[in-house]
């Protein structure tokens, strides 16, 4: 799947409903799905990350599936493998259960259904393969079972499956969520999961019921998956965090379905009103924010905050933590007034000084970011000054550095260059202390390089932006180094470096994934510096004008970078 242009936001919408158009015959199938041989050839020798803890990484063959550890060594093998139809691999277990791996048409992702029972059905009135209804307004699919021992008919809609009796009356309703246009996950009674799979080769499909649902994605798209910190454990933990690789792969619809199953699974494991379900909402929101799905991040945090108030109203620490996360997400959407209002609501829950400084630090940083977004720079500077002291007393190493850079941004906005330079120097001194304290740790110091660049401390900016020997990717520190070379006037070295970046990307920058606001402009900068022509610089300036609004939605996060970028464009326009 070709990724979006670097100048278009990668997450256009987080909840994409599938189309209701039919697949018109075998001839229109994607190449990989036209035969079993083509399907297996398309899978190749790739590795896949999976949301199942017992299948963390896989490799597929015609007669087996290898289970891989973190070092890609085989620790297990699934046999009894067959192809249900091109695009669907079936594994039969010795205990009578089964698993279906249902692949996307581009073979970049899959859905995994670990089930106990399977039965076949036909779609009434259909002569070609069909897809799920797109929404509630679209006509449902009527299906007749061939071999189900209990049911004769069902009706499938965009978000549910209804069991029907012979007269068409509804016997049961099961809530669902679409993984693909032909794959609907279901919530069944007794904490079970169900699955409706529509065939891509005939007008019918299969209904399955059993244990668990999951997803997978090619490792080459997202890198090896690692879970973050969580209030959950094991499968519930991995399931709730697996939206991240799906978002990185550019599939927000699949990520949404994974999230819906993750909540259902967490409720089954811990209870619907449990602390873990509360944190499942909050952790999903954080991951959405990490992957620039800011509107959906705020929606998840809003639900988490509502759950905290309704179910944990007497727990001040939870209300403060969850409310602060919600306020941060509101700020990242650019709604600074709402962010301040949320923070005011949870401010009475702040603990007295002297305890754990992490949540108070986050609270005040969110408040400072909101004031900065409202252009109350002097007020924001006061907040960040106090936060620096808070971080130091609380032994928050990165917080002590970050708060100095936040303060420097305020001072730059207030046109206080000497004060800003002093704050940047203090931030760099703190980082030097970390180098000495933890000499074996590798730090990503691109933000410090940008800050040093902004105050024209060239030697320091170079020191905090190390080069690497990577062959197919570029680090943020290297992008920061490129900006230093441009701004200090070393155009020859800058051009050489930019051309090296282009070679690493294979010359096709449209294939680069967009992870942060600054990414689009660093890609544009690479193109302009590699060419070093007036026309290329003019194109960069045009792209910058397009990108500014996006940067302004998160001004504190992007302010120093924006100053450096403006200086870089000015430097390129001078020529030479």
């Amino acid at each position: 799947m070709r990724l979006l242009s670097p100048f278009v936001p990668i997450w256009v919408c987080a909840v994409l409903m599938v189309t209701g158009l039919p697949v018109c015959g075998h001839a229109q199938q994607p190449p990989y799905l036209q035969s079993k041989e083509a399907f297996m050839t398309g899978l190749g020798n790739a590795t896949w990350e999976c949301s199942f803890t017992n299948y963390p990484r896989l490799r597929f063959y015609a007669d087996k599936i290898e289970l891989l550890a973190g070092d890609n060594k085989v620790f297990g093998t699934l046999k009894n493998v067959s192809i249900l139809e091109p695009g669907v691999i079936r594994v039969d277990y010795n205990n009578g259960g089964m698993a279906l791996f249902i692949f996307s048409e581009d073979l970049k992702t899959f859905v995994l259904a670990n089930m106990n029972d399977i039965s076949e059905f036909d779609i009434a009135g259909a002569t070609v393969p069909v897809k799920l209804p797109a929404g509630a307004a679209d006509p449902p699919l009527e299906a007749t079972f061939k071999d189900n021992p209990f049911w004769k008919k069902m009706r499938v809609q965009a978000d549910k499956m209804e069991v029907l009796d012979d007269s068409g009356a509804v016997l049961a309703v099961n809530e669902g969520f679409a993984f693909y246009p032909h794959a609907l996950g279901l919530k069944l009674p007794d904490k079970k999961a169900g699955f409706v799979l529509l065939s891509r080769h005939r007008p019918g499909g299969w209904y399955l019921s059993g244990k668990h649902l999951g997803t997978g994605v090619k490792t080459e798209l997202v890198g090896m998956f690692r879970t973050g910190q969580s209030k959950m454990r094991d499968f519930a933990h991995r399931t709730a965090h697996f939206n991240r690789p799906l978002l990185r792969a550019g599939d927000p619809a699949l990520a949404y379905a994974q999230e819906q199953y993750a909540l259902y699974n967490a409720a089954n494991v811990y209870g619907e009103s449990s602390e873990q379900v509360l944190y499942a909402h909050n952790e999903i929101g954080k991951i959405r924010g990490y992957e620039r799905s800011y509107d959906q991040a705020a929606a998840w945090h809003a639900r988490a905050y509502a759950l905290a108030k309704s179910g944990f109203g007497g727990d001040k620490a939870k209300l403060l933590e969850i409310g602060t996360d919600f306020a941060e997400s509101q700020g990242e959407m650019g709604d600074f007034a709402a962010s301040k209002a949320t923070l005011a609501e949870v401010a009475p829950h702040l603990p007295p000084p002297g305890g754990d400084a992490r949540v108070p630090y986050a609270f005040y940083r969110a408040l400072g970011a909101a004031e900065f977004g409202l252009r109350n720079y002097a007020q924001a500077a006061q907040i960040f000054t106090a936060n620096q002291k808070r971080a130091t007393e609380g032994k928050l190493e990165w917080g002590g550095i970050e708060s100095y850079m936040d303060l420097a941004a305020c001072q730059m906005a207030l046109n206080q260059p000497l004060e800003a330079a002093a704050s940047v120097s203090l931030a760099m001194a703190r980082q030097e202390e970390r180098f000495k304290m933890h000499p074996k740790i590798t730090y990503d110091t691109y933000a410090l390089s940008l800050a040093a660049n902004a105050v024209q401390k060239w030697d320091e900016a170079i020191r905090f932006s190390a080069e690497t020997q990577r062959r197919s990717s570029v680090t943020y520190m290297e992008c920061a180094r490129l900006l230093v070379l441009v701004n200090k006037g070393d155009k020859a070295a800058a051009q050489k470096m930019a051309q090296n970046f282009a070679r690493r990307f294979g010359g096709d920058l449209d294939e680069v994934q967009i992870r942060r606001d600054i990414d689009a402009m660093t890609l544009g900068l690479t193109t302009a510096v590699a060419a070093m022509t007036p026309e290329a610089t003019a194109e960069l300036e045009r792209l910058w004008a397009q990108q500014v609004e996006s940067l302004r939605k998160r001004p504190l996060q992007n302010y120093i970078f924006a100053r450096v970028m403006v200086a870089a464009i000015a430097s390129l326009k001078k020529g030479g």
Side-chain angles (χ1 to χ4, degrees):
M1 179 181 64
R2 188 174 178 83
L3 299 173
L4 298 182
S5 163
F7 305 107
V8 178
I10 199 166
W11 314 127
V12 178
C13 178
V15 184
L16 299 177
M17 297 306 294
V18 296
T19 68
L21 299 175
V23 178
C24 298
H26 180 81
Q28 294 192 14
Q29 289 289 355
Y32 295 136
L33 303 183
Q34 291 185 8
S35 70
K36 293 181 180 181
E37 294 75 17
F39 170 49
M40 294 310 304
T41 299
L43 292 181
N45 197 38
T47 63
W48 304 72
E49 306 303 302
C50 181
S51 63
F52 277 28
T53 51
N54 53 337
Y55 301 164
R57 188 167 304 120
L58 307 106
R59 188 159 43 223
F60 295 90
Y61 299 94
D63 60 345
K64 65 180 179 180
I65 300 173
E66 292 180 341
L67 311 181
L68 308 176
D71 57 2
N72 279 345
K73 290 184 178 178
V74 178
F75 71 83
T77 303
L78 299 178
K79 299 182 180 179
N80 298 324
V81 172
S82 60
I83 298 178
L84 186 65
E85 68 176 23
V88 182
I89 292 177
R90 174 171 174 167
V91 180
D92 288 289
Y93 299 130
N94 293 332
N95 64 5
M98 74 204 70
L100 293 189
F101 293 85
I102 303 99
F103 289 81
S104 59
E105 293 186 354
D106 57 11
L107 302 189
K108 299 294 180 66
T109 62
F110 64 73
V111 177
L112 173 54
N114 186 4
M115 297 287 141
N116 294 325
D117 304 295
I118 184 169
S119 55
E120 197 171 357
F121 61 79
D122 292 324
I123 300 296
T127 58
V128 296
V130 298
K131 295 182 179 181
L132 294 170
D138 294 302
L141 301 176
E142 302 278 349
T144 302
F145 287 101
K146 291 183 176 183
D147 54 0
N148 191 296
F150 307 108
W151 302 338
K152 299 299 182 183
K153 297 180 181 180
M154 71 173 176
R155 183 162 53 225
V156 180
Q157 301 192 38
D159 58 355
K160 62 185 175 182
M161 183 271 279
E162 299 170 315
V163 181
L164 310 176
D165 65 15
D166 289 336
S167 68
V170 177
L171 296 175
V173 180
N174 299 291
E175 181 183 347
F177 34 88
F179 286 95
Y180 292 139
H182 60 287
L184 184 72
L186 297 170
K187 302 176 183 178
L188 300 185
D190 301 322
K191 300 181 179 181
K192 293 182 179 179
F195 198 72
V196 173
L197 173 61
L198 296 172
S199 171
R200 287 176 282 195
H201 296 265
R202 67 177 184 84
W206 299 267
Y207 168 78
L208 303 98
S209 63
K211 298 178 181 179
H212 298 294
L213 299 173
T215 51
V217 60
K218 269 189 176 178
T219 304
E220 68 183 35
L221 290 177
V222 298
M224 292 186 293
F225 174 64
R226 296 286 186 271
T227 53
Q229 291 184 341
S230 177
K231 292 288 185 177
M232 296 168 285
R233 298 183 63 185
D234 303 324
F235 181 56
H237 178 191
R238 190 175 181 92
T239 295
H241 286 222
F242 206 77
N243 61 339
R244 189 166 197 177
L246 300 175
L247 290 169
R248 286 191 167 188
D251 199 334
L254 189 58
Y256 172 78
Q258 174 69 24
E259 291 162 350
Q260 300 312 302
Y261 177 71
L263 289 180
Y264 177 62
N265 183 61
N268 288 342
V269 174
Y270 298 108
E272 291 186 4
S273 59
S274 64
E275 176 189 49
Q276 288 85 353
V277 168
L278 165 67
Y279 278 97
H281 284 80
N282 207 55
E283 290 168 25
I284 289 171
K286 286 187 176 182
I287 292 169
R288 282 280 182 170
Y290 296 154
E291 298 304 320
R292 299 180 67 247
S293 181
Y294 297 117
D295 56 341
Q296 290 302 308
W300 280 108
H301 284 303
R303 289 191 284 270
Y305 186 45
L307 287 173
K309 289 192 290 186
S310 63
F312 301 89
D315 191 330
K316 293 183 178 181
K318 278 190 178 60
L319 291 173
L320 176 63
E321 177 189 359
I322 304 296
T324 297
D325 288 341
F326 178 36
E328 286 180 346
S329 66
Q330 289 173 306
E332 287 185 332
M333 280 207 312
D335 196 345
F336 308 116
S339 179
K340 280 187 66 175
T342 300
L343 291 168
E345 191 172 292
V346 299
H349 306 316
L350 283 164
D356 189 341
R358 287 174 296 181
V359 173
Y361 176 86
F363 173 92
Y364 284 107
R365 184 162 197 265
L367 181 59
E371 296 288 9
F372 192 95
L374 294 169
R375 301 188 179 185
N376 298 327
Y377 302 126
Q379 180 65 23
Q382 292 179 11
I383 293 170
F384 293 137
T385 298
N387 226 21
Q388 200 287 318
K389 181 180 178 183
R390 187 174 293 108
T392 299
E393 292 174 350
K395 298 182 179 180
L396 305 178
E397 289 184 10
W398 171 246
I401 297 169
E402 180 182 58
S403 54
Y404 272 132
M405 290 194 290
D406 290 340
L407 177 59
C410 296
Q411 292 164 333
M412 293 176 196
L414 291 167
N415 196 27
Q416 298 173 346
L418 296 179
E419 291 85 347
S423 296
V424 171
S425 294
L426 289 169
M428 292 189 294
R430 286 293 181 89
Q431 182 58 50
E432 295 288 1
E433 291 174 7
R434 295 179 86 194
F435 287 146
K436 293 176 182 177
M437 291 172 59
H438 312 291
K440 295 183 179 181
I441 295 179
T442 300
Y443 294 97
D444 188 350
T445 54
Y446 80 92
L448 276 170
S449 178
L450 291 174
N453 190 334
V455 295
Q456 298 185 12
K457 293 181 178 291
W458 309 124
D459 292 341
E460 293 89 339
I462 287 290
R463 189 167 70 251
F464 287 114
S465 54
E467 291 185 271
T468 72
Q469 300 301 314
R470 297 188 181 197
R471 296 183 178 182
S472 60
S473 63
V474 175
T475 67
Y476 285 112
M477 286 205 289
E478 289 177 304
C479 292
R481 192 181 190 91
L482 177 63
L483 281 162
V484 178
L485 295 175
V486 171
N487 287 0
K488 69 179 290 193
D490 194 345
K491 303 292 179 61
Q495 186 177 35
K496 182 179 179 181
M497 190 173 197
Q499 290 170 347
N500 177 271
F501 288 179
R503 282 192 295 272
R504 293 191 204 177
F505 291 131
D508 192 352
L509 297 181
D510 284 352
E511 296 289 344
V512 180
Q513 289 185 331
I514 303 303
R515 304 281 173 87
R516 305 184 188 179
D517 289 330
I518 70 173
D519 289 8
M521 288 315 305
T522 55
L523 291 174
L525 179 74
T526 297
T527 302
V529 178
M532 203 71 76
T533 64
E535 293 77 14
T537 300
E539 176 64 12
L540 176 64
E541 193 168 22
R542 184 186 69 80
L543 293 171
W544 173 250
Q546 291 179 352
Q547 194 72 14
V548 164
E549 279 307 310
S550 174
L551 296 172
R552 282 175 177 165
K553 289 182 179 179
R554 286 160 290 281
L556 179 65
Q557 183 184 119
N558 295 311
Y559 184 81
I560 289 176
F561 168 74
R563 289 182 69 102
V564 171
M565 194 68 209
V566 168
I569 293 173
S571 178
L572 289 172
K573 290 174 72 173
K574 290 180 181 178

